[in-house]
Amino acid sequence: MAGIRFLEDHRAWVLTAASSTYALRLDEDDVPTHVYWGPRLPAEDIPDLIGKTLPWWDGFNDPDEGRDELAADGGTKYWTPALQLRFADGTRALEWRYQAHDTTQDHLKIHFADRHYPLRITLHYRHRGDVLERWTELAAETDVEVVRADSATWVLPLLEDYRLSHVTGRWAAETQLHRTSAPHGETTFASRRGITGHHANPWVMVDDATATERHGEVYGVALAWSGSWRLTTTRSSTGRLTVSGGFGQDGVTHRVGPGKPLVTPVAAGLYTAGGFGAAGRAWHAYVREHVLPHPRELRPVLYNSWEATGFDVSEQGQRTLAERAAALGVELFVLDDGWFRGRTSDHAGLGDWHVDRARFPDGLGPLVDVVHGLGMKFGIWVEPEMVNPDSDLYRAHPDWVLHHPHRRRSELRNQLVLNFARPDVREWAHDWLDRLVGDHGVDFLKWDMNRPFSEAGWPGEADPDRLWVEHTRAVHALMDRLREDHPGLRIEACSGGGGRIDLGVLARADQVWTSDNTDALDRLRIQHGYSQLYPAGAMSAWVTDNPNFVTGRSVPLRFRFHVAMAGVLGIGGDIVRWPGDDLALARELVALYKDIRPVVQHGALHRLRPPVDDGVTALQYVHEDRTVVFAYRQASHFNAPERPLRLEGLDPAHRYVDSDDGTTHSGAVLLARGLPLGLPTGDFASKVLRLRRKI
């Protein structure tokens, strides 16, 4: 049975989930100390793992280093600090004093104070399925400078070796999966950009270098934060490895004092014994069940107008696109950039969120009515956190942007970042967004953010560094407030593609824009890295035109559709110019997607063959009695014979019926030998197979 046990004689807490156990204790000095994280154990067995604190055997090596639950700076602690403080008199060391703890069925709070200074620390632990959420809360009666406040330190067991799995990338090349041996010393993954970032993502997985997609123990840590962040792995010469993670960055401090508590974001940890595939499925289940705001809804097939029109937007042009999209079976029509005053290029207009009457003479109402009349929902692109210097807003409020006195205001994409930590900016943003959604019947916002922070100053503010945290919290809060004001509103998070994908934004966005790169071959790799942690039901994927605007590559329409159908299907091409054969194929594939959508968006993902080369890659989704398989041959070499594809997640005692040709297959054979794919010959060959368990 899952739950929380306090072993009073050992001053230890045991948190048990369905398939894992986590335990910690207080040492002789009240320091919260890690005991165990791994396969499920009875609470009664945990005392066998508790040893006494060992004395130093010389003046340089601490035999207990790396075991703290929240590694605090000070004294003879030299491990990577998760908590660094500076009190008003200059004292930096922390000395723990346990006060009390309280628990509910799934939430443990352990309360501490500093032994001398009026500082209170609460460590939070909460199980959500097999994922353990941890965060830290600081409060003080006098001002305290917090140099670093990570959410948690995660202590891994002693393994034969340590290997790190993580993703790297850049614009149009996000979430590229890497696996590498963990170096000794500190390895930091981070974003200093004020957003989650394209170049890394706030999660890391650790195994002993023997785990595969199907076998082996995997430990994972992910941070629920959409601003600057860092995760640090520390591997000592004695073999221990920890992961410490939280918001913030070097040189940016927090202040805690009367009425100014600090609560860190959730750091989520997961142990699985079934390899990276089981880890991915467990993370997906956690996101669907405990993170996403509307996890049981099916995400609609959308059309986005950007690649068809760019900034050349007109009411008639959008009407024509909407009519063509509806004929394809699209359920959500999204008007992208260029609908507001002064927005004929990316040089001007951001901040002046008023409908351009030269393009929409009677406002957006007539277009919205047309879209709704065609049976589709209406969505619109916004970029609330940005302003062009060439805008009425900036001319009226130049102090609203991030800036430092006597320093240039660096522009990227001809725009500056508004300081959402300011109450007046927050209220301005809510006011116009609330009116935009409410007055026009907007069903969907594509929320974009097209540049990182720079000159992140706040002249006249006593604690300017707080903007790094408060901006992100304000964005989250604004999304939450809009959703509360407009319960039918749905949101897609975007930041120049995949620059804002994390557990924090997914708690208030229904889906994320994975990358501006829609090239089908590149997307196979981007989507593979994305799927390590995040589910397909939140992954927006579009079919766009040939040649692709990022890569210049041309790929058959069927292949493009099949790649996008492995997530939340969207269409972004200039469909007015598509030939009749392409439109007919698109209608057929949209209908197919609607049939398989519950399996893709809600099912368990099995990555059967990863896109590690240019051969065949394959995915399988299993939901209730249905299975959907996507197979893609990228390039054909030497007339190589096709291998059967071994499936996973099926019941060997049942037979499975192919929904297209009616043939039946033994579940045991599909698991043991595999399924003949029958891919078409040549390059860019793809296929979708639908199987249903025979009752």
Side-chain angles (χ1 to χ4, degrees), residues 103-117:
T103 64
T104 60
Q105 182 178 356
D106 60 4
H107 189 178
L108 168 64
K109 303 175 187 178
I110 311 177
H111 306 285
F112 298 88
D114 183 82
R115 289 187 179 275
H116 175 76
Y117 295 93

Side-chain angles (χ1 to χ4, degrees), residues 22 59 75 125 154-155 170 425 695:
Y22 190 96
Y125 300 78
W154 299 86
V155 182
R170 54 181 170 80
V425 175
I695 305 301

